């Protein structure tokens, strides 16, 4: 936590805030000062939020800050479970709520500035679908979306240019290089002209070359036009396919439709639209106008303080109490007359509320259906562009998938059967080969025996006769079995029909009685249902009234609770200040000198006295220094001159000593020496 406060104070003391805070002064800020500081930081991120919070209500301040924090994608530390606590703390200026917000904002100021700037242009305005039916509104909305997309592309290009590393120096170098290349090309063209002038018919050849270049350019332009026309043809074919698909859908939707159903659908739509135009929209427009007038009245009034707010709250409470008393008197006065119609009024109010709710649900469902249809059309167009084939719709796609599944299962079964048949075919083929070889051997032996006996071909004739007789006997047996089975089936069917008739006779009698009972029970059920609907309507009206009253009381409870917490916090702060003042007063008036010295007033007085004495001494010392400065400087100069004079005398003495010793005769120990 201390690191967080240090970071916040360090950032606030720098540009562009320059608050000159330290940890103690920042921690001692009150709730209003903290909210103003948070508003200043948000105003640095988005200039639209440079606001003095004293000129707006706490609800407006909280709403403005919460909207900007939502745009900046700030997530409270506690997650979604503590959102109400976060909002309440933001309204009252709680330090545990505002300090993390300031830390998060000051950590990424540049990034949040960019996000707030982009949010001004990229937050899309939701236009209701009924307004988009107007051509002017639809065109304006389409232009708005196109401009938004153009802004996105331009912003991306700008960011790419910023990060691409291009500089003005590089561009200038490129320009100079291109100018040099241009000069070289001009010189080269001049040289080529001089060389061409010596050639015969050079003008005609130059004209031919010019025409060739023009034709090549024309060929390129024609090729480009051809490609553009191909693209246009492709897009036109796609549009044609989409229109054909829409026509197919409309025809498919109109296959089972009848004039009666279409008229009924149109009547329902006309009733719904007339309800919207005659009842819902005028009521909403009136509420919006009233809200606008109220807001204009609030804006026109001057800024109010806490005392004015308290006075208004007391007046509101008094007026509410008077209204409640008048309502009670009216109910007591008109209750016998209105008791007959109270149930019907309650039922009418419930039905009107249900009607309004259903109308809103229907309108929302229509908007959602329109959005889904647009998304489906876009997805189908994308799929059609990617694959080039017609995209199947919901029912067709389901049938196609079921068909594929059935074919897949059939394919797997057939594949297994083919594998089994292939294996069996191999075995049978091998068996056939073996039996064929044995048959050939036996036939050879039989032919040899018949040749010996002189009856060649006897075995073949015998086999044919046996085969024909076997086929004839099988056919006879099959005919007999078919006739027997048909006669037995007829007998069984006759017996079954007679049995079913005899068994269904008592059931039919019971069914008639049950039908009569069902009709009686249905009538009784309808009567009970009407009674139940009436009772439910009465209970629903009372429940809705109680729910409305509970909602109002909860809102009042929440407001009073927030006000209680705010007053409690202010009371604690005032108690702390009062306690500190009492302790200071107690120490100041205490007869004990040691205790009196601990008082802040005594400490500051003592420090002021010490500083005054120290300042007096320093002023006296300064005066003495100023008075003795001139003589002291003269004395210093005299000492420096004296030092130079002594140095000069010393040098002269040393020089004289050296001159005396040159050419001197020294007698020592009976010897004479000449020193040169």
């Amino acid at each position: 936590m201390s690191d967080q406060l240090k970071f916040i104070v360090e950032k606030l003391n720098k540009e562009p805030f320059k608050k000159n805070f330290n940890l103690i002064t920042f921690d001692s800020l009150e709730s209003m000062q903290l909210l103003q500081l948070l508003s200043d930081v948000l105003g640095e991120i988005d200039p639209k939020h440079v606001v003095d919070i004293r000129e707006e209500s706490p609800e407006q301040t909280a709403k403005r800050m919460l909207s900007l924090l939502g745009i900046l994608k700030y997530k409270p530390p506690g997650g979604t479970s503590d959102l109400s606590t976060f909002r309440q703390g933001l309204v009252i200026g709680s330090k545990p709520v505002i300090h993390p917000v300031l830390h998060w904002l000051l950590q990424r100021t540049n990034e949040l500035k960019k996000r707030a700037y982009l949010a001004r242009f990229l937050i899309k305005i939701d236009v209701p679908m009924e307004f988009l039916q107007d051509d002017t509104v639809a065109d304006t909305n389409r232009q708005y979306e196109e401009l938004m997309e153009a802004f996105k592309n331009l912003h991306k290009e700008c960011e790419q240019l910023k990060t691409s590393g291009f500089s003005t120096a590089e561009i200038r170098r490129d320009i100079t290089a291109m100018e040099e290349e241009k000069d070289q090309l001009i010189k080269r063209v001049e040289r080529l002209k001089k060389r061409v002038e010596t050639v015969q018919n050079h003008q005609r050849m130059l004209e031919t070359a010019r025409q060739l270049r023009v034709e090549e350019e024309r060929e390129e332009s024609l090729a480009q036009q051809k490609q553009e026309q191909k693209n246009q043809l492709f897009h036109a074919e796609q549009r044609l396919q989409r229109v054909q698909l829409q026509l197919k859908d409309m025809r498919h939707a109109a296959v089972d439709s009848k004039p009666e159903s279409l008229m009924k659908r149109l009547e329902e739509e006309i009733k719904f639209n007339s309800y919207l135009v005659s009842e819902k929209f005028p009521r909403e427009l009136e509420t919006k106008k009233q809200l606008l007038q109220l807001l204009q009245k609030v804006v026109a009034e001057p800024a109010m303080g806490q005392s004015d707010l308290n006075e208004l709250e007391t007046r509101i409470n008094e007026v509410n109490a008077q209204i409640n008393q008048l309502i009670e008197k009216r109910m007591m006065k008109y209750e016998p007359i209105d008791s007959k119609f109270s149930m019907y009024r309650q039922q009418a109010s419930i039905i009107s509320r249900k009607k309004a709710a259903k109308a809103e649900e229907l309108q929302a469902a229509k908007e959602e259906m329109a959005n889904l249809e647009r998304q489906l059309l876009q997805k189908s167009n994308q799929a059609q562009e990617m694959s080039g084939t017609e995209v199947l719709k919901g029912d067709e796609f389901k049938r196609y998938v079921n068909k594929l599944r059935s074919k897949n299962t059939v394919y797997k079964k057939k594949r297994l059967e083919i594998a089994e048949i292939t294996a069996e075919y191999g075995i049978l083929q091998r068996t056939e080969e073996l039996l064929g070889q044995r048959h050939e051997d036996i036939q050879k032996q039989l032919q040899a025996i018949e040749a010996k006996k002189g009856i060649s071909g006897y075995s073949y004739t015998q086999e044919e006769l046996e085969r024909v007789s076997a086929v004839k006997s099988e056919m006879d047996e099959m005919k007999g079995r078919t006739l027997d089975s048909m006669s037995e089936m007829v007998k069984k069917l006759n017996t079954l029909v007679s049995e079913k008739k005899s068994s269904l006779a008592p059931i039919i009698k019971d069914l008639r009685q049950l039908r009569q009972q069902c009709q009686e029970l249905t009538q009784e059920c309808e009567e009970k249902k009407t009674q139940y609907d009436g009772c439910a309507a009465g209970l629903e009206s009372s429940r809705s009234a109680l729910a409305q009253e509970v909602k109002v009381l909860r809102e009042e409870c929440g407001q009073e609770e927030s006000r209680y917490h705010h007053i409690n916090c202010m009371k604690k702060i005032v108690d702390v200040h009062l306690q500190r003042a009492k302790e200071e007063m107690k120490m100041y008036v205490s007869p004990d000198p040691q205790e009196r010295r601990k008082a802040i007033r005594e400490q500051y007085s003592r420090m002021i006295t010490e500083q005054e004495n120290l300042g007096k001494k320093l002023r006296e010392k300064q005066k003495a220094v100023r008075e003795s400065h001139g003589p002291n400087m003269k004395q210093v100069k005299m000492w420096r001159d004296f030092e130079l004079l002594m140095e000069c005398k010393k040098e002269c003495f040393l020089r004289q000593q050296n001159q005396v010793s040159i050419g001197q005769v020294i007698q020592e120990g009976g010897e004479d020496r000449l020193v040169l």
Side-chain angles (χ1 to χ4, degrees):
M1 192 68 181
S2 60
D3 296 336
Q4 189 181 38
L5 292 178
K6 287 180 182 177
F7 178 78
I8 295 171
V9 171
E10 182 182 355
K11 288 290 184 181
L12 291 175
N13 291 334
K14 293 181 180 179
E15 290 285 346
F17 304 105
K18 291 185 179 179
K19 293 295 182 180
N20 197 15
F21 284 143
N22 55 31
L23 291 175
I24 297 172
T25 56
F26 178 73
D27 192 52
S28 62
L29 291 176
E30 295 182 356
S31 59
M32 292 295 291
Q33 295 173 339
L34 273 177
L35 286 173
Q36 184 62 52
L37 184 61
L38 179 59
S39 179
D40 294 340
V41 175
L42 293 175
E44 179 63 26
I45 293 171
D46 190 356
K48 293 192 298 184
H49 291 265
V50 180
V51 180
D52 189 356
I53 62 173
R54 292 175 295 181
E55 298 178 357
E56 60 181 3
S57 64
E59 290 79 8
Q60 291 176 347
T61 304
K63 186 177 179 181
R64 176 173 59 82
M65 291 181 178
L66 285 171
S67 64
L68 183 57
L69 290 174
I71 291 171
L72 300 178
K73 297 182 180 179
Y74 173 73
K75 296 181 179 178
T80 56
S81 60
D82 295 337
L83 284 177
S84 59
T85 308
F86 175 75
R87 294 193 188 96
Q88 186 178 357
L90 191 63
V91 170
I92 64 176
S94 177
K95 292 181 181 179
V97 173
I98 294 180
H99 285 175
V101 177
L102 286 173
H103 184 261
W104 185 80
L105 292 173
L106 294 172
Q107 267 185 335
R108 44 183 70 83
T109 307
N110 295 327
E111 178 186 351
L112 296 177
K113 282 182 180 179
K114 180 179 177 182
R115 188 175 293 172
Y117 168 73
L118 293 176
R120 292 168 54 193
F121 305 101
L122 297 181
I123 293 179
K124 190 174 181 181
I125 300 172
D126 292 331
V127 182
M129 290 301 299
E130 56 268 18
F131 293 155
L132 289 176
Q133 301 299 326
D134 190 0
D135 296 335
T136 306
V137 177
D139 294 337
T140 306
N141 189 36
R142 186 171 63 254
Q143 292 176 5
Y144 167 68
E145 292 177 352
E146 290 175 356
L147 289 173
M148 187 180 290
E149 293 295 329
F151 174 77
K152 288 181 183 178
N153 297 326
L154 289 174
H155 181 71
K156 287 180 183 177
E157 291 177 1
C158 180
E159 292 296 326
Q160 289 175 1
L161 289 174
K162 285 181 181 178
T163 57
S164 60
F166 288 118
S167 62
T168 56
E170 292 180 357
I171 295 171
R172 286 173 183 170
R173 285 197 297 270
D174 294 339
I175 290 171
T176 52
M178 292 170 70
E179 288 178 352
E180 291 176 358
E181 290 180 0
K182 181 181 177 182
D183 295 335
Q184 292 176 2
L185 289 172
I186 291 170
K187 292 178 181 178
R188 199 171 165 191
V189 168
E190 290 177 355
R191 287 198 302 269
L192 289 172
K193 282 183 178 180
K194 290 178 181 179
R195 290 176 61 185
V196 169
E197 286 176 356
T198 58
V199 180
Q200 294 179 357
N201 299 327
H202 65 280
Q203 291 293 338
R204 188 168 60 81
M205 294 175 69
L206 287 174
E207 186 66 27
T208 306
R210 190 179 297 109
Q211 291 178 0
L212 177 62
R213 186 175 65 253
V214 170
E215 293 297 329
E216 287 178 351
E217 291 177 355
R218 186 181 175 189
E219 183 182 1
E220 290 179 358
S221 64
L222 289 173
Q224 189 175 1
Q225 291 178 4
K226 182 180 178 182
Q227 185 64 31
E228 290 177 356
Q229 289 179 0
K230 282 184 178 179
N231 294 332
Q232 291 177 1
L233 179 62
F234 178 68
H235 291 304
E237 289 177 352
Q238 287 183 346
R239 285 198 298 272
L240 178 61
Q241 289 178 0
R242 287 197 295 270
V243 172
Q244 288 178 353
L245 186 63
Q246 291 176 2
L247 180 61
K248 184 179 178 182
D249 294 338
M250 293 176 68
R251 286 178 178 174
H252 181 70
V255 168
D256 298 331
S257 61
K258 296 179 180 179
E260 293 81 4
S261 61
L262 291 174
M263 289 296 294
K264 187 176 180 181
R265 195 181 308 162
L266 289 173
E267 287 176 357
E268 291 176 354
E269 190 171 355
I270 289 168
K271 287 180 181 178
F272 175 70
N273 292 328
S274 62
Y275 167 73
L276 291 177
V277 172
S278 61
E279 296 182 13
K280 185 179 178 183
F281 288 161
R283 188 166 57 249
E284 291 181 354
L285 184 61
E286 188 65 27
T287 55
K288 295 292 183 184
K289 286 182 179 179
Q290 292 176 0
L291 181 61
L292 180 62
Q293 291 176 0
L294 181 62
L295 291 175
Q296 288 176 352
K297 186 177 178 181
V298 171
V299 170
E301 291 180 355
M304 293 187 293
Q306 189 64 34
S307 60
D308 298 332
L309 293 174
N310 294 330
E311 185 179 355
L312 285 175
E313 286 180 357
T314 54
R315 288 176 61 188
I316 289 168
N317 293 328
E318 291 175 358
V319 171
N320 288 330
Q322 293 176 4
I323 290 169
N324 291 328
Q325 290 176 3
L326 291 173
I327 290 171
E328 290 177 358
K329 289 180 181 179
R330 181 179 178 279
M331 290 176 67
M332 292 173 66
K333 186 176 181 181
Y334 296 104
E335 186 175 2
I337 300 172
D338 293 340
S339 60
K340 298 177 181 179
F341 303 103
S342 61
M343 181 180 295
Y344 299 107
R345 287 177 180 173
Q346 291 173 357
Q347 291 179 0
S349 62
I350 291 168
I351 291 169
S352 63
R353 284 198 296 271
K354 286 183 178 180
K355 185 178 179 181
K358 293 298 180 183
E360 291 178 357
E361 290 178 1
L362 180 60
Q363 191 172 358
K366 284 186 176 180
E367 292 176 358
E368 187 178 1
M369 186 175 72
N371 292 326
L372 292 174
E373 286 178 353
R374 284 200 300 273
Q375 293 178 6
L376 179 62
L377 184 60
Q378 292 176 0
K379 297 295 183 183
S380 62
N381 292 333
Q382 291 177 3
Q384 193 169 1
E385 289 176 0
M386 292 173 65
S387 61
T389 57
E390 184 180 355
V391 181
L392 298 176
K393 292 301 180 72
D395 297 335
E396 295 178 356
F397 183 72
K398 288 180 180 179
R399 287 195 294 270
Y400 178 70
V401 170
N402 294 327
K403 188 176 179 181
L404 283 179
R405 287 176 179 171
S406 61
K407 285 185 177 181
N408 191 14
T409 53
V410 173
Y411 167 72
K412 289 180 180 179
K413 290 180 181 179
K414 297 296 182 183
R415 191 174 178 182
L416 291 172
E417 291 178 359
I418 289 170
E420 293 175 356
I421 291 169
T422 305
E424 189 175 356
Y425 173 73
I427 296 169
L428 292 174
Q429 191 175 8
R430 180 60 180 166
T431 306
E432 184 183 3
E433 290 177 357
L434 295 174
L435 292 175
Q437 291 178 0
R438 291 179 62 186
H439 179 68
E440 289 178 358
D441 295 338
I442 292 169
Q443 285 292 332
K444 289 178 181 179
Q445 294 177 3
L446 184 60
Q447 288 176 3
I449 293 169
E450 287 178 354
K452 286 182 181 180
K453 301 295 183 178
I455 52 172
S456 298
Y458 175 78
S459 60
Y460 178 74
T461 306
Q462 185 69 27
E463 288 176 358
E464 286 293 328
L465 291 172
E466 290 177 357
R467 186 175 63 79
V468 171
S469 61
V471 170
K472 184 177 180 299
S473 61
E474 287 177 359
M475 292 296 292
D476 294 336
E477 290 178 359
M478 190 179 296
K479 289 178 181 178
R481 285 197 301 271
T482 304
L483 292 172
D484 295 337
S485 62
M486 288 175 68
S487 60
E488 290 176 359
M489 190 178 295
V490 170
K491 290 179 181 179
K492 287 180 180 179
L493 289 173
N494 291 327
T495 54
L496 283 172
V497 168
S498 60
E499 289 175 358
K500 292 295 181 183
K501 283 182 179 180
S502 59
S503 61
L504 287 173
I507 295 173
I508 291 170
K509 292 180 181 179
D510 296 336
L511 181 61
R512 290 172 183 171
Q513 296 176 359
L514 291 173
R515 282 178 180 173
Q516 188 175 0
Q517 292 177 4
C518 178
Q519 291 177 358
E520 295 174 356
L521 291 173
T522 304
Q523 292 177 358
E524 187 178 357
C525 178
E526 292 294 333
E527 293 174 358
K528 297 293 183 182
K529 188 176 181 182
T530 53
Q531 294 176 4
Y532 170 76
D533 290 337
C535 182
L539 293 174
E540 180 67 21
S541 63
S542 60
R543 188 197 66 79
S544 61
L546 290 173
Q548 186 68 23
E549 186 177 357
V550 168
K551 184 180 179 181
V552 173
L553 291 174
R554 282 182 178 175
E555 290 177 355
E556 292 179 357
C557 180
Q559 293 176 0
E560 294 297 330
E561 188 176 355
S562 62
R563 186 180 173 193
Y564 165 73
H565 287 302
H566 180 68
I567 294 171
N568 194 12
C569 293
M570 297 301 293
K571 179 178 174 297
K572 288 182 180 178
I573 294 169
V574 171
D575 290 341
V576 170
H577 290 319
L578 186 61
Q579 185 67 26
R580 289 176 63 183
K582 287 181 179 179
E583 291 177 357
E584 180 67 21
M585 192 68 187
K586 184 179 179 182
M587 288 189 290
Y588 180 69
V589 300
S590 177
D592 189 5
Q594 296 292 333
E595 196 66 31
R596 190 181 298 171
R597 286 180 182 176
K598 293 181 181 179
I600 297 174
R601 182 172 180 178
E602 290 294 331
Q603 292 178 6
Y604 278 111
S605 300
R606 190 165 54 253
M607 290 171 67
I608 290 168
T609 306
E610 291 176 358
Q611 293 297 324
E612 287 179 352
N613 295 330
L614 181 61
K616 188 175 181 182
K617 290 179 182 179
L618 290 174
R619 283 194 296 272
E620 292 175 355
K621 190 174 180 181
Q622 183 182 10
K623 185 177 179 182
V625 169
R626 284 179 179 175
E627 290 175 354
S628 62
H629 181 263
N632 288 336
M633 291 301 292
K634 290 181 181 179
Q635 190 175 1
V636 169
K637 186 178 180 183
M638 291 172 64
W639 274 107
R640 286 177 181 170
D641 294 340
F642 178 73
E643 186 178 359
L644 290 173
L645 182 60
M646 295 302 292
E647 288 288 336
C648 184
K649 284 184 178 183
K650 181 181 177 182
E651 289 179 0
C652 292
F653 177 75
L654 291 174
R655 195 178 296 164
Q656 187 179 3
Q657 287 290 331
N658 291 331
Q659 289 177 358
V660 169
S661 62
I662 295 172
Q664 186 178 3
V665 178
I666 299 173
Q667 294 179 357
E668 195 175 19
E671 295 179 354
D672 295 332
R673 287 186 295 166
L674 178 62
V675 180
L676 297 177

